[in-house]
Amino acid sequence: MAEELSSEYESGSEYSEEEDEDESGEEVLDEEEEPKLKYMRLGSHVTDILKRDAASCMAVHERFLALGTHWGVVYVLDFAGNEIKRYSIHKATVNELSIDDCGEYIASCCNDGKVVISSLYGKEQVVHSHKRPILTVALDPEYHRKQTSRFV
């Protein structure tokens, strides 16, 4: 059997559509129709932000967007691209952002070893410092409730 397979590869046999069937005998379609999505380009402040700095991560909430940059800045934007709030809290690339379910808190992690959890509607900020770069962060979906202030 192994000799048969190696002789097929050595002879340069071409791939045929008959080989493109799964175990149930159904042919797999190569050309599936791509879904059609409605989209709108972000403008306004996003254009200015991306002229000065490069985006490193993004998180989306039903009410806003959060954009992290390589210079350590976190921008909170509306869906038109207008800046709502800006946090200059890191000294290196923002690796990931996480938003709680209510959209009241945003967590960011960075190569500088900090995890920062910021309130979007107040001045509250919690900083957790680590000695190593932090690559990912996840807020508890119920973080806005004071008794469940957990993050990973």
Side-chain angles (χ1 to χ4, degrees), residues 2-73:
E3 291 174 5
E4 291 174 10
L5 289 176
S6 64
S7 65
E8 283 182 26
Y9 288 116
E10 289 174 6
S11 67
S13 66
E14 292 185 21
Y15 177 79
S16 68
E17 289 184 23
E18 296 167 357
E19 294 172 352
D20 195 16
E21 294 182 7
D22 62 8
E23 292 175 6
S24 64
E26 296 176 11
E27 188 174 319
V28 179
L29 297 177
D30 288 335
E31 295 182 26
E32 292 184 14
E33 191 172 319
E34 204 172 304
K36 294 185 171 130
L37 304 172
K38 291 183 180 180
Y39 69 93
M40 183 175 69
R41 288 188 184 271
L42 291 174
S44 200
H45 290 104
V46 175
T47 307
D48 297 334
I49 293 167
L50 296 178
K51 283 180 184 175
R52 294 187 308 257
D53 196 1
S56 60
C57 60
M58 179 179 260
V60 180
H61 188 267
E62 60 190 31
R63 293 184 282 166
F64 58 87
L65 305 169
L67 177 72
T69 69
H70 285 286
W71 283 358
V73 181

Side-chain angles (χ1 to χ4, degrees), residues 66-67 69 71-76 83 85-90 94 97 104-106 108 116-125:
L67 177 72
T69 69
W71 283 358
V73 181
V74 175
Y75 295 93
V76 179
E83 184 179 318
K85 206 163 193 176
R86 177 190 318 189
Y87 300 102
S88 298
I89 46 182
H90 295 290
V94 178
L97 300 168
E104 293 181 20
Y105 291 90
I106 185 167
S108 59
V116 180
I117 303 169
S118 304
S119 171
L120 292 172
Y121 303 109
K123 298 194 182 281
E124 180 184 355
Q125 256 186 3

